[in-house]
Amino acid sequence: MKPAVTYELLHVDKNSGARRGIVHTPHGDIQTPVFMPVGTQATVKSMTPEELKEIGAQIILSNTYHLYLRPGQNIVKEAGGLHKFMNWDRPILTDSGGFQVFSLGPLRTITEEGVEFKSHLDGSKHFFSPESVMKTEEDLGADIIMAFDECVEYPASYEYTKQSMERTTRWAKRCKEAHVTENQALFGIIQGGFYEDLRTQSAKDLVDLDLPGYAIGGISVGEPKEEFLKMLYFTAPLMPENKPRYLMGVGTPDYLIEAALAGIDMCDCVLPTRIARNGTAMTWNGKVVVRNAGYERDWGPLDPECDCYTCKNYTRAYLRHLVKTNEILGVRLLSIHNIYFLTKLMEKVRIEIEHDNLLGFREEFYKKYGYTTKE
């Protein structure tokens, strides 16, 4: 039987190896490489689905942990699944909640069977196992669901990272056995911290499971950029060429470009809406913190090179006023801009791959942003 989600390779950049492709899903095609906005609790914060479509968002993420706690998987299932519940008819991916559970630290206990944890909301006790997470994700009804894994902190010892990686593989096998919904694709998550031999073993064991897609987890967790790049470029080639490749938790422009250069197809992050709430915008000429006093009488657009709704209609001075007075509209307008910016950035990345010029584009972009290139 054909998998619910498949990957079609369109072009490989002759100078970098970056991939241009399409991920086919039950709710439509995704042009890759792609940035995926995060709607943790079945909403991309402050934005409507219609606005996201207008911006060009192709797929959004929601989170199993948060939706399990509120409103509960049964409510979402009764509503007809996430697509109907949140009025979004394009693809959806749900994270397993592993990262959120493990970030609870002392509020959780890990065993071979699963993880017992206390809710960050009210302290109530809960238990996640690979089987229960599969049931929750199937009830939520996303097109792509993630296996339950453990994301170790940085830094972590070799011994613990090895135990964790091996447990993640065993949990992936249990997820595959428990997953029964045919119109969903279960992706495995490669772990192994910052140890190359563990990454190699994790990739090999998970690829042997023959899942429809694979993700790199456990990087971009607070390590130096050099460590991130080293592990990204080491791990990506270990992933199958004929299946989607997903790098979890990445949303800065430089990391997105590097991910594409490494052959990654999909990235996600809460960053664009999170920094919007702090009054920060990503632009084609670097970061702009509109709450700064220098913008008080700045009558120009947020980004002169951008044609999003925000940039076409509002000044930096007005945006600063909204942010300084904690008006909801300020968060909305900055969120619209930031997601639009990353969507357009990835459109540009796809074009540059088709012209075998992603390396040249990176050099040009990094000069504008003040980034340094480390080969």
Side-chain angles (χ1 to χ4, degrees):
M1 179 174 292
K2 185 181 177 183
V5 170
T6 57
Y7 178 75
E8 179 184 353
L9 179 65
L10 298 180
H11 183 79
V12 175
D13 184 327
K14 295 178 177 62
N15 297 308
S16 69
R19 292 147 51 102
R20 168 79 176 90
I22 304 174
V23 176
H24 302 284
T25 84
H27 283 88
D29 291 345
I30 306 162
Q31 302 295 324
T32 64
V34 65
F35 173 76
M36 306 182 288
V38 176
T40 302
Q41 306 197 76
T43 173
V44 176
K45 288 192 188 305
S46 83
M47 298 189 61
T48 67
E50 291 74 20
E51 287 168 334
L52 288 165
K53 284 183 180 180
E54 203 169 303
I55 284 170
Q58 303 183 68
I59 172 174
I60 57 176
L61 274 69
S62 285
N63 182 264
T64 297
Y65 167 81
H66 290 284
L67 293 174
Y68 161 84
L69 292 175
R70 294 184 301 189
Q73 66 199 66
N74 292 334
I75 296 292
V76 177
K77 186 178 180 181
E78 284 178 36
L82 270 178
H83 289 92
K84 287 189 177 178
F85 187 55
M86 64 187 295
N87 190 33
W88 177 259
D89 59 5
R90 292 182 181 179
I92 298 176
L93 183 153
T94 45
D95 188 3
S96 68
F99 179 81
Q100 285 70 29
V101 167
F102 295 110
S103 66
L104 293 171
L107 295 177
R108 47 84 170 151
T109 304
I110 307 169
T111 63
E112 183 63 28
E113 185 56 31
V115 183
E116 184 180 86
F117 62 95
K118 290 181 180 178
S119 164
H120 72 287
L121 299 172
D122 59 11
S124 57
K125 281 190 175 181
H126 302 269
F127 185 79
F128 271 6
S129 68
E131 292 78 13
S132 72
V133 167
M134 286 299 94
K135 178 66 170 65
T136 300
E137 291 199 83
E138 288 177 344
D139 286 347
L140 295 176
D143 302 89
I144 299 170
I145 65 174
M146 304 306 297
F148 192 48
D149 67 323
E150 179 183 0
C151 179
V152 296
E153 62 186 5
Y154 176 87
S157 70
Y158 182 88
E159 291 71 23
Y160 186 82
T161 305
K162 184 173 189 291
Q163 291 174 15
S164 170
M165 178 274 290
E166 291 172 344
R167 181 164 49 230
T168 288
T169 298
R170 293 191 293 273
W171 284 358
K173 291 176 182 175
R174 286 167 59 186
C175 284
K176 183 180 179 182
E177 290 170 4
H179 178 237
V180 295
T181 305
E182 292 180 354
N183 64 345
Q184 288 181 317
L186 171 64
F187 282 21
I189 304 174
I190 298 168
Q191 291 289 353
F194 291 83
Y195 303 99
E196 292 183 354
D197 61 325
L198 298 184
R199 287 279 171 183
T200 301
Q201 189 62 50
S202 178
K204 179 183 180 303
D205 292 343
L206 290 174
V207 170
D208 285 347
L209 293 179
D210 192 26
L211 299 171
Y214 292 92
I216 301 175
I219 65 173
S220 189
V221 289
E223 74 282 357
K225 185 176 180 179
E226 295 75 17
E227 289 288 306
F228 165 81
L229 292 175
K230 178 183 175 185
M231 203 48 59
L232 167 64
Y233 280 93
F234 177 82
T235 308
L238 304 175
M239 306 166 85
E241 293 183 358
N242 63 337
K243 295 180 179 180
R245 296 171 171 179
Y246 168 26
L247 175 60
M248 307 181 80
V250 166
T252 59
D254 55 334
Y255 276 31
L256 290 172
I257 293 170
E258 295 292 347
L261 284 165
I264 297 295
D265 307 300
M266 308 158 68
C267 296
D268 79 285
C269 196
V270 297
L271 185 77
T273 52
R274 176 172 287 169
I275 66 172
R277 296 194 294 279
N278 296 323
T280 302
M282 292 177 272
T283 80
W284 291 102
N285 291 287
K287 191 167 68 173
V288 172
V289 183
V290 293
R291 67 167 57 248
N292 289 350
Y295 300 115
E296 187 176 14
R297 289 180 171 82
D298 189 330
W299 314 119
L302 185 57
D303 183 354
E305 295 182 36
C306 179
D307 63 351
C308 77
Y309 172 80
T310 301
C311 291
K312 285 192 295 187
N313 291 284
Y314 301 100
T315 65
R316 290 179 174 184
Y318 180 63
L319 292 168
R320 178 180 186 273
H321 160 70
L322 294 175
V323 170
K324 294 291 285 184
T325 53
N326 294 316
E327 286 291 341
I328 294 171
L329 181 58
V331 176
R332 279 180 38 73
L333 292 176
L334 287 171
S335 294
I336 286 170
H337 167 80
N338 283 341
I339 293 177
Y340 184 89
F341 171 79
L342 291 182
T343 301
K344 287 296 178 183
L345 173 66
M346 298 314 288
E347 275 185 26
K348 182 70 172 166
V349 164
R350 293 194 292 270
I351 292 168
E352 297 295 345
I353 291 172
E354 290 170 0
H355 290 93
D356 303 312
N357 186 47
L358 190 54
L359 285 171
F361 172 73
R362 176 180 66 173
E363 185 177 349
E364 174 190 322
F365 187 89
Y366 274 28
K367 280 179 185 173
K368 277 188 172 184
Y369 253 75
Y371 292 140
T372 56
T373 303
K374 291 186 182 293
E375 297 296 347

